[in-house]
Amino acid sequence: MKRLGVLGTLVRDTIRHPAAPGPVRAWGGIAYALAAFEVALPNGWSTVPIVKIGGDLYARATSFIRSFTRVGDSRFLHMVPEPNNRVELVYANDADRLEILSGGVPGWAVRDVGEFLKDLDALYVNFISGMELTLSGARRIRDGLAGPSHADLHSLFLGVESDGRRVPRYLRSSEEWAGCFDTVQMNEDEFAMFSRGAADPVRAAASAFEGRLRMIAVTRGSEGVKVIAARRDGDPNVWDVPTSSGPASSEPTGCGDVWGAAFFSGALAGADRGTAITYAHALARCKLRCRGADETRRHLAEEGPRPPWSSR
């Protein structure tokens, strides 16, 4: 079996959405990606979760993660003395939300990155807290991983106020961060911060392609995704891939995580970008019907579209 490292933070979420009758309390964070990999990962691959977990939730969390059928090696589930991360998400509408973080799970040291890279054929990184890696750790991935990598840069663009509120921030050395991975994703607001509000954000982001990076995916919710791909000479190629039409309910928490895991699964299967993106749109749209990663896992397994590259 080939081994896909899945690096991120497991969270206990409380989700408050105006369309819901009450709050939903469930696993979140990296659990959404693991749920998508259950369905989308090509045959012959298993996942290796790389997750630090607070001691207060360690027993429950490890039992939950080990119950995923595609999880293989679980030795990089590390208990830490800090309380596990908890997040309250309060939606005003599908696009606007308040995010409040508590807990204090630390990131991985550079020496730890070197240890888990030795056993991996590919790596998916999701910056759930934004504290999972330092830039030095990301550089270690850039220089030490032989196989492909994908990163959702999401919470690198969020600071933390004293009361736990997450607030947008510019990311120092954003182009170098992106250049540590083969493909990265971010949403439209994050891309505006990535390019520091430049009049021509695509041209401003072009310097990121001087590293390992080959593609940026800017997710745009119901509008689909903007793809920015490296060229050997000249400005990057840019094109839009819209979503398919059709009714869907509107619980957006975790949709980007599902999208990224589905897209990277296609890349690992050798699918062309268009096929991988179209499938990622379909699986993320299926997630919209679910609240919390627990329900998402069940729904994707039972109702999610099967990937064109898998015989499962």
Side-chain angles (χ1 to χ4, degrees):
M1 295 286 286
K2 292 184 177 180
R3 296 157 58 88
L4 168 65
V6 180
L7 192 158
T9 302
L10 185 68
V11 179
R12 282 301 289 180
D13 278 339
T14 299
I15 304 169
R16 305 181 189 276
H17 193 283
V24 173
R25 296 178 174 87
W27 293 113
I30 201 63
Y32 286 107
L34 290 172
F37 283 128
E38 288 281 278
V39 176
L41 200 62
N43 298 331
W45 284 84
S46 66
T47 59
V48 179
I50 304 167
V51 183
K52 290 190 174 183
I53 303 167
D56 56 332
L57 290 180
Y58 184 76
R60 289 173 59 193
T62 53
S63 176
F64 173 70
I65 291 175
R66 287 172 178 149
S67 70
F68 284 86
T69 62
R70 304 302 291 270
V71 167
D73 186 351
S74 60
R75 61 194 166 100
F76 295 111
L77 298 176
H78 284 198
M79 183 171 69
V80 297
E82 293 84 359
N84 199 77
N85 287 19
R86 291 169 168 81
V87 170
E88 183 170 7
L89 298 164
V90 183
Y91 283 88
N93 50 57
D94 287 349
D96 301 308
R97 72 185 189 188
L98 172 66
E99 182 174 341
I100 304 170
L101 170 68
S102 61
V105 173
W108 295 87
V110 176
R111 65 179 179 276
D112 298 323
V113 175
E115 283 300 307
F116 59 68
L117 283 184
K118 296 186 297 186
D119 297 324
L120 300 179
D121 298 289
L123 179 64
Y124 167 92
V125 179
N126 197 323
F127 288 95
I128 302 293
S129 71
M131 304 165 200
E132 286 83 358
L133 293 170
T134 62
L135 181 54
S136 295
R139 292 185 188 118
R140 182 69 180 84
I141 292 169
R142 177 194 65 195
D143 298 335
L145 179 67
S149 59
H150 176 92
D152 185 341
L153 303 186
H154 174 51
S155 288
L156 288 177
F157 298 100
L158 292 176
V160 186
E161 299 285 87
S162 59
D163 60 358
R165 285 180 298 124
R166 306 303 305 265
V167 292
R169 67 174 184 185
Y170 286 117
L171 174 65
R172 292 181 60 186
S173 305
S174 57
E175 293 87 355
E176 188 177 1
W177 274 100
C180 292
F181 307 97
D182 294 291
T183 60
V184 298
Q185 72 179 83
M186 59 195 89
N187 64 32
E188 289 183 287
D189 291 337
E190 292 155 2
F191 185 60
M193 288 184 286
F194 179 80
S195 56
R196 294 188 174 271
D200 186 346
V202 172
R203 184 178 292 272
S207 60
F209 292 107
E210 295 173 3
R212 182 170 179 154
L213 184 66
R214 308 315 303 153
M215 191 191 94
I216 299 171
V218 182
T219 55
R220 304 170 60 213
S222 61
E223 299 299 314
V225 65
K226 180 182 293 294
V227 178
I228 306 167
R231 293 176 59 186
R232 292 185 178 179
D233 54 356
D235 292 334
N237 285 323
V238 183
W239 67 95
D240 293 318
V241 183
T243 59
S244 60
S245 60
S249 55
S250 54
E251 215 299 48
T253 310
C255 280
D257 309 313
V258 169
W259 190 95
F263 168 78
F264 193 44
S265 293
L268 295 178
D272 63 80
R273 284 174 178 162
T275 298
I277 290 171
T278 298
Y279 176 71
H281 285 349
L283 199 65
R285 189 171 186 82
C286 187
K287 189 271 145 213
L288 284 168
R289 306 186 186 106
C290 312
R291 302 190 185 280
D294 315 57
E295 182 181 335
T296 296
R297 176 188 180 183
R298 293 190 296 270
H299 185 71
L300 295 186
E302 295 171 2
E303 305 292 337
R306 301 301 98 177
W309 50 81
S310 177
S311 60
R312 287 169 63 85

